[in-house]
């Protein structure tokens, strides 16, 4: 499929990939100088597409394209510009740039629609710098917990201070939140698992799996690696190793469950000292909330038993949890028609990824379009998308907007 703006979108993804806080990888945490540079670049593209641009109190970047009549409701098309550490160039950015291209196509034809369109780049969706993740969409829907502002990054800067330094206004988050009655709905475009097997360039998300993100700490006793015999040790890392394998086992024996330990921090972290403390992250996801919570409970019991056997102290802190959600059937059907009218047969699936759509789905009509990443890879540098899939996505979003 040909779309004149697809090469532009691909080139802009490459351009944004150069804006990083790390010289060797694409790492762009929320509210940092590299994010300011990304906002400046994207703002210029939004203005060129006929949008008015501003940042809200939470630091979300918003490009507004007005309707053809007053008192119209607004469709939000959302994505994110923050990344994980050592990221690929398409997750988040591609969805945002596809949305801008679809609006630009309208602007070139001097067309406005019966609904206003707000293209939003949400702040801290990935949660690399601050937990909980999805700060921007939680703030936009008025669901950001009050104590989230006290969360600190690894250098001790609070979310409140980071928002203020970025030019946002943490005092007025509630006043800036949207009202459901003003919205027509929400659309998100994201890269997703491979649809190559089905030979289709686009997918349609109908549901999002529930997820739990927890921080676990095991405390033992540090000691000299040569002086302390094995039978007197309380090695926190050996306990963590058992816990990691227990999490893997529980996921392998529960169909549909995925468990990931993605972070590990040792103290004192010296080659000749027995690890006295280990902090680790746990990420648990399943499309069925009951099965996820059952697995979480089983793993907690297993962790407590392991800690007791080894004479370790365990603390378990739940950082963020969100239930499985179904996206709006009528909105999904409308998106399906738009994809079909762009010449594709979409593959419907449940996404295992926490998207801003999971936050918006509790607030307004929501639908989600997936552009396949080669081999299904995401959250790493070898993400790749086919230009024809990008062209199809721009066309499908354009048809969806026209259907409003």
């Amino acid at each position: 499929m040909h779309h004149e703006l697809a090469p532009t979108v691909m080139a802009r993804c490459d351009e944004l990939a150069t804006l990083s806080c790390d010289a060797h990888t694409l790492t762009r945490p929320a509210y940092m100088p590299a994010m300011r540079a990304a906002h400046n670049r994207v703002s210029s593209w939004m203005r060129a597409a006929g949008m008015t641009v501003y940042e809200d109190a939470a630091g979300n970047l918003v490009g507004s394209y007005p309707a053809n009549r007053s008192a119209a409701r607004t469709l939000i098309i959302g994505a994110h510009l923050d990344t994980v550490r050592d990221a690929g160039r398409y997750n988040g950015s591609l969805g945002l740039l596809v949305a801008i291209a679809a609006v630009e196509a309208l602007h070139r034809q001097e067309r406005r629609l019966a609904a206003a369109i707000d293209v939003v780049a949400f702040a801290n969706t990935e949660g690399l710098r601050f937990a909980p993740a999805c700060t921007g969409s939680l703030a936009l829907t008025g669901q950001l917990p009050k104590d989230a502002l006290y969360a600190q990054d690894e250098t001790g800067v609070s979310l409140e201070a980071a928002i203020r330094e970025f030019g946002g206004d943490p005092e007025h988050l509630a006043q800036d939140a949207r009202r459901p009655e003003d919205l027509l709905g929400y659309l998100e475009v994201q890269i997703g698992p491979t649809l190559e097997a089905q030979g289709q360039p686009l997918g349609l998300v109908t549901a999002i799996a529930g997820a739990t993100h927890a921080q676990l700490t095991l405390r033992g006793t540090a000691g000299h690696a040569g002086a302390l015999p094995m039978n007197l040790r309380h090695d926190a890392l050996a306990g963590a190793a058992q816990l990691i394998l227990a999490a893997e086992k529980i996921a392998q024996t529960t169909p549909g469950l995925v468990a990931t330990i993605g972070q590990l921090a040792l103290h004192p972290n010296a080659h000749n000292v027995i690890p006295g403390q280990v902090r680790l992250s746990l990420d648990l996801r399943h499309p069925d909330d009951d099965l996820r919570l059952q697995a979480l409970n089983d793993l907690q019991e297993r962790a407590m038993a392991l800690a007791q056997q080894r004479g370790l102290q365990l603390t378990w802190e739940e950082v963020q949890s969100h239930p499985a959600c179904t996206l709006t059937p009528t909105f999904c059907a409308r998106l399906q028609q738009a994809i079909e009218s762009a010449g594709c047969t979409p593959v419907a699936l449940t996404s295992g990824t926490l998207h801003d759509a999971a936050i918006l789905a509790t607030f307004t009509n929501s639908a989600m379009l997936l552009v396949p990443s080669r081999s299904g890879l995401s959250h790493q540098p070898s993400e790749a998308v086919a230009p024809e899939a990008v062209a199809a996505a721009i066309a499908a979003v354009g048809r969806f907007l026209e259907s409003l």
Side-chain angles (χ1 to χ4, degrees):
M1 168 175 281
H2 166 74
H3 194 288
E4 58 184 347
L5 287 167
T8 304
V9 166
M10 299 295 278
R12 286 172 174 178
C13 286
D14 293 342
E15 213 176 309
L16 285 177
T18 65
L19 306 177
S20 172
C21 70
D22 179 74
H24 306 292
T25 68
L26 171 51
T27 303
R28 191 164 54 231
Y31 308 115
M32 297 291 269
M35 183 60 74
R36 173 50 62 212
H39 274 208
N40 291 346
R41 198 74 53 98
V42 171
S43 295
S44 68
W45 297 333
M46 285 173 160
R47 288 192 187 96
M51 292 183 247
T52 309
V53 182
Y54 68 95
E55 281 174 12
D56 70 10
N60 296 317
L61 177 66
V62 184
S64 285
Y65 191 72
N68 59 16
R69 59 204 173 97
S70 60
R73 288 192 294 166
T74 301
L75 174 80
I76 294 176
I77 313 180
H80 61 92
L81 282 170
D82 66 312
T83 70
V84 294
R85 194 173 277 111
D86 195 12
R89 64 191 55 204
Y90 297 110
N91 188 297
S93 295
L94 179 72
L96 191 69
L97 297 173
V98 163
I100 293 170
V103 172
E104 186 165 343
L106 287 172
H107 178 58
R108 285 181 177 186
Q109 298 164 28
E110 298 184 353
R111 288 184 60 203
R112 297 199 186 282
L113 306 174
I117 303 159
D118 277 1
V119 178
V120 179
F122 288 117
N124 193 50
T125 291
E126 295 289 11
L128 173 62
R129 188 174 174 199
F130 295 104
C134 297
T135 304
S137 51
L138 286 167
L140 181 124
T141 55
Q143 301 178 73
L144 187 70
K146 282 268 195 292
D147 58 1
L149 289 171
Y150 306 129
Q152 295 186 345
D153 69 7
E154 32 192 55
T155 66
V157 175
S158 71
L159 174 61
E160 181 175 24
I163 291 175
R164 188 170 283 120
E165 194 180 333
F166 197 70
D169 185 357
E171 255 79 86
H172 291 94
L173 293 177
Q175 288 92 313
D176 243 9
R178 303 295 180 104
R179 301 183 313 167
E181 57 269 28
D182 295 338
L183 298 183
L184 187 65
Y186 176 77
L187 175 65
E188 186 168 330
V189 180
Q190 182 55 282
I191 65 167
T194 179
L195 309 166
E196 291 156 334
Q198 290 96 330
Q200 292 302 332
L202 296 177
L204 175 72
V205 174
T206 53
I208 298 173
T212 299
H213 169 203
Q215 284 284 349
L216 285 48
T217 306
L218 284 166
R219 288 183 185 83
T221 312
H224 194 293
L228 201 62
M230 296 305 288
N231 64 335
L232 294 180
R233 296 187 178 198
H234 299 288
D235 184 330
L237 182 58
Q242 259 187 298
L243 178 53
I244 291 166
L245 291 175
E248 183 184 54
K249 180 116 195 256
I250 227 162
Q252 284 170 339
T253 54
T254 309
L257 184 74
V258 288
T260 307
I261 311 281
Q263 277 178 316
L264 205 60
L266 313 187
H267 183 79
N269 202 21
H271 80 95
N272 56 355
V273 183
I274 299 154
Q277 178 180 300
V278 179
R279 272 176 68 77
L280 56 160
S281 64
L282 170 69
D283 184 307
L284 206 63
R285 307 185 190 207
H286 198 286
D288 182 318
D289 287 331
D290 291 340
L291 289 173
R292 171 175 53 92
L293 297 172
Q294 179 62 53
L296 190 66
N297 196 44
D298 292 350
L299 189 56
Q300 256 176 320
E301 285 179 7
R302 181 85 185 99
M304 282 170 3
L306 279 171
Q308 204 168 6
Q309 284 160 17
R310 289 180 165 274
L312 304 172
Q313 272 182 296
L314 170 72
T315 57
W316 186 297
E317 179 203 353
E318 199 166 288
V319 178
Q320 190 170 17
S321 173
H322 80 88
C325 75
T326 303
L327 301 189
T328 316
T330 51
F331 236 52
C332 291
R334 179 175 282 193
L335 180 58
Q336 176 162 349
Q337 285 171 337
I339 294 169
E340 285 168 354
S341 69
C344 307
T345 308
V347 181
L349 42 84
T350 294
S351 173
T353 315
L354 170 56
H355 300 285
D356 292 298
I359 310 299
L360 271 292
T362 62
F363 194 74
T364 188
N365 298 315
S366 297
M368 195 166 171
L369 176 71
L370 282 188
V371 180
S373 174
R374 188 181 59 212
S375 306
L377 294 173
S378 183
H379 276 187
Q380 55 124 307
S382 49
E383 286 174 4
V385 296
E388 54 271 26
V390 173
I394 298 168
V397 172
R399 297 287 168 88
F400 182 81
L401 294 177
E402 286 166 19
S403 78
L404 300 174

